[in-house]
Amino acid sequence: MTDDVLLVHGGTPISGEIRVRGAKNLVPKAMVAALLGSAPSRLRNVPDIRDVRVVRGLLQLHGVTVHSGEEPGELVMDPSRVERANVADIDAHAGSSRIPILLCGPLLHRLGHAFIPGLGGCDIGGRPVDFHFDVLRKFGATIEKRADGQYLEAPQRLRGCKIRLPYPSVGSTEQVLLTAVLAEGVTELSNAAVEPEIEDLICVLQKMGAIISLDTDRTIRVTGVDRLNGYTHRALPDRLEAASWASAALATGGSVYVRGADQRSMVTFLNTYRKVGGEFEVDDDGIRFWHPGGPLKAIALETDVHPGFQTDWQQPLVVALTQASGLSIVHETVYESRLGFTEALNKMGGHIQLYRECLGGTPCRFGQRNFLHSAVVSGPTKLEAADLVIPDLRGGFSYLIAALAAQGTSRVHGIDLINRGYENFMDKLESLGARVERPNGS
Ligand code: EPU
């Protein structure tokens, strides 16, 4: 389908200014939190991306009225008439997203039951949901698997409990938060994820009246309350999108001012950026990222849970590493299959070798399990245009970066996937001087 293809004429540095809005990995969850309130909630800085549209639709299917607020990017959600949704409608609407699983706790509280269809999301590993269901069972939910999905019931009010996550999973931590706030008694969650988006979700819930404490040892304690209010909240900026544009500036030898980028949530990325040889300057409204000229430096990089180097920063930065002098080592410890996208970079002239061993300093869960989860990137290499098929959200953006950095015209297929998490990326590319076009000229 030509609609889903982009021609990228590479070899020109991108330069200019773009703006990031609320974080893709917070906004949909804050929208789910609105279901827990007894009054309307107002969320600001909401980007126009597919994941937001999916959750908006799911909320509406469950009787929540959702409309735009006074300022651009503001959503007002009124949950006063939450009702059961039609299973087929949920399925049809949600198939492309993993967010529906986070509706479980709020729907169990509001209605006593919930339905979860087969889940989508990016193909970057098995993406199991076992932690989520284990957690929900601990709160007292029953779960029945049927052909079309999972049916959950809360025979009585859910009860607080002690939970230790096998891994600090972001989604499972959110599942616990969204369920524990209205559960009876205290919930203690150890080995929790503490990503900035989770802290922001805690802020949302606290505004609603929840009692949540976060200790330095990854323990979260929630004292359940009987009732929550609505909230008014401005979503934290998208640090993952900001880093994607920063990597694009570096890989193409350009300069991008990312309005809205927030230093506090990007400290680890910024350190790494500087080690590679990228320059940045922080001001009150954003961060300017640029390639200062001269060779970039190879680095050793290990992805990890926060405050480590976020896995979603990895793929875009790897494209820039193909331009660095020497051998860079990348150890992906969060998703077992997040390096498959490098095959296409090799097709374009990159030299990236994958390994099953843990090449970083820390042995990870994937070392003994036959996953190609470490990479050695040797550079600098000249990238040449190619035909590319987008594999997942961040990998897809990385292909755009590679095509922009390459000599010649690349055809990038499947670009619609990028709309899941990058607001108006076509307009942004054009405003940065990228030479991109739809093959039919539309
Ligand atoms: N895991 C399990 N069982 C579970 C849940 C997770 O084994 O029940 C494993 C996963 O397979 C993975 C690890 O735990 O190996 C971490 O997964 P996590 O639960 O933290 O990821 P997630 O909540 O599904 C969110 C983001 C991802 C981001 C990760 C890590 C959203 C919608 N997605 O996923 O974002 O990479 O946290 O920070 O918030 C993206 O933006 O492109 C993206 C994939």
Side-chain angles (χ1 to χ4, degrees), residues 183-262:
E184 191 179 340
V186 175
T187 296
E188 185 183 290
L189 173 67
S190 42
N191 208 25
V194 293
E195 267 58 11
E197 293 79 11
I198 287 181
E199 287 192 57
D200 212 38
L201 181 63
I202 291 175
C203 292
V204 167
L205 294 167
Q206 188 177 54
K207 284 175 173 173
M208 298 176 82
I211 304 170
I212 305 172
S213 68
L214 171 55
D215 290 349
T216 47
D217 64 350
R218 292 189 178 277
T219 302
I220 294 178
R221 271 184 203 80
V222 183
T223 304
V225 295
D226 292 338
R227 191 168 177 278
L228 291 169
N229 299 311
Y231 66 81
T232 297
H233 188 74
R234 176 170 294 278
L236 90 166
D238 199 313
R239 67 195 170 108
L240 310 180
E241 183 184 353
S244 295
W245 292 109
S247 297
L250 198 57
T252 63
S255 168
V256 177
Y257 180 71
V258 184
R259 187 168 291 280
D262 164 51

Side-chain angles (χ1 to χ4, degrees), residues 24-25 29 51 98-99 122 124 126-132 167-172 174 195 239-240 310-312 334-336 338 365-366 393-394 420:
K24 160 190 161 285
N25 289 352
K29 292 101 184 249
D51 274 12
R98 287 174 62 76
I99 307 291
C122 282
I124 50 181
R127 315 271 336 244
V129 285
D130 50 334
F131 302 169
H132 291 254
Y167 183 80
S169 144
V170 169
S172 317
E174 292 159 345
E195 267 58 11
R239 67 195 170 108
L240 310 180
Q310 163 76 21
T311 170
D312 300 283
V334 179
Y335 290 112
E336 64 272 30
R338 213 172 197 175
R365 301 170 291 152
F366 310 136
L393 180 65
R394 308 293 167 192
R420 251 195 63 213

Side-chain angles (χ1 to χ4, degrees), residues 259-312:
R259 187 168 291 280
D262 164 51
Q263 181 183 17
R264 275 163 303 183
S265 61
M266 296 186 73
V267 169
T268 307
F269 178 81
L270 295 173
N271 287 335
T272 308
Y273 200 75
R274 188 166 271 163
K275 280 188 198 153
V276 179
E279 298 266 5
F280 61 88
E281 188 176 54
V282 182
D283 67 27
D284 288 351
D285 302 317
I287 307 179
R288 186 160 83 88
F289 298 91
W290 74 96
H291 188 313
L296 297 178
K297 296 181 255 295
I299 55 160
L301 176 67
E302 207 162 32
T303 65
D304 205 348
V305 293
H306 188 75
F309 190 92
Q310 163 76 21
T311 170
D312 300 283

